Amino acid sequence: MKLKILEQTSTLLKLQLKPAAILYWFFGGFFIAGGVLLITTLAKTTTFTCNRVEPTQESCQLITKSILKSQVKTWNLKEVIGAKLDTSTTAGNSYPLVLVTSNGSIPIDLVNADSTQKESKAAQINAYLKNSREAKLTIHEDSRLWTYPLGLFLIASGAVCIIYMLMNGTIICIFDKTLDKATIKREGWFGKEVVEAKLSEISGLNMDAVAIDTVTGTSSTSYNIVLNLVSDKNIYLAAGPMFTAKSAEQTLNAIASFLN
């Protein structure tokens, strides 16, 4: 929050608070972009099948489906030489699994599998090719089971950051001793909200009248300013914990000094 004292006399204090919009736009955009990238690149189903129905219908097929596109590749079983791990490159934290055919090598993209699991899949394919009695082979993976929930969670988190910022566009705090009134005006993209209370009800104007409310997350700590009323009701300046430690202390000192 950025604090600006608009007016200050012995009987009137008017403050303007604005959220650090750049940070909220940055984190909001970062989370949304990360979620979209995760879903579009890693959320997919991969199915490799081989069939020996009749000598004239021996074939293998690789089907890859994602949210953006679908690919289908088909070979005659005689064109498939085998499968192996391509140790000359890496795919994430493991080597990619490739299908070796008479026309070249084709990657079988398995997102969830590590090198050991991919090596097992390669051995499974090679064993099928050597065993002419085995009728069918199917290797299937669906990474959407975890990429969709995680991607949607990231997108929702980014949207919350942006909406949170838009809800708290500008906060005007007016403390008027002549009228015995405290007025908190929150103006955002989604409308205005006004909260009022009597100054004399703010904990009898003692040292505990204004306090810092601390919210600790997994990787960060944020703050809000709370006005403590004698009726045990609290008034928060912002709709949520949007203050940094520095801005919270500055705002607390400005209000406390005026009230006391």
Side-chain angles (χ1 to χ4, degrees), residues 161-251:
C161 288
I162 294 175
I163 293 173
Y164 198 47
M165 184 272 299
L166 296 177
M167 288 175 61
N168 295 274
T170 302
I171 302 172
I172 302 296
C173 306
I174 303 173
F175 301 92
D176 193 328
K177 292 181 179 179
T178 303
L179 299 177
D180 188 28
K181 181 187 291 187
T183 304
I184 311 300
K185 299 179 180 179
R186 303 189 189 106
E187 301 177 358
W189 284 27
F190 300 106
K192 298 180 181 180
E193 181 183 10
V194 178
V195 181
E196 295 182 340
K198 290 184 178 182
L199 278 184
S200 55
E201 292 183 351
I202 303 178
S203 289
L205 303 182
N206 58 32
M207 293 300 295
D208 297 325
V210 190
I212 296 177
D213 182 59
T214 303
V215 177
T216 302
T218 55
S219 59
S220 63
T221 301
S222 52
Y223 308 86
N224 204 345
I225 301 297
V226 56
L227 305 178
N228 298 307
L229 305 185
V230 293
S231 60
D232 292 333
K233 293 182 179 180
N234 299 328
I235 296 178
Y236 291 89
L237 297 194
M242 303 186 67
F243 289 81
T244 62
K246 182 178 179 180
S247 63
E249 185 177 1
Q250 291 175 339
T251 304

Side-chain angles (χ1 to χ4, degrees), residues 11 13 18 52 66 77 81 101 105 109 134 146 149 166 171 175 190 195 216 219-220 243 250:
T11 60
L13 176 65
K18 286 188 175 183
R52 288 190 179 100
S66 67
L77 187 58
I81 300 173
T101 72
S105 297
D109 192 8
E134 191 171 352
W146 65 271
L166 296 177
I171 302 172
F175 301 92
F190 300 106
V195 181
T216 302
S219 59
S220 63
F243 289 81
Q250 291 175 339

Side-chain angles (χ1 to χ4, degrees), residues 3 5 9 12 20 30 36 67 77 89 93 107 118 120 136 145 179 183 192 206 213 215-216 224 227 251 254:
L3 171 65
I5 299 177
T9 66
L12 180 67
F30 178 79
V36 171
I67 196 172
L77 187 58
T89 184
N93 295 323
K118 290 177 182 178
S120 176
K136 187 173 183 179
L145 299 176
L179 299 177
T183 304
K192 298 180 181 180
N206 58 32
D213 182 59
V215 177
T216 302
N224 204 345
L227 305 178
T251 304

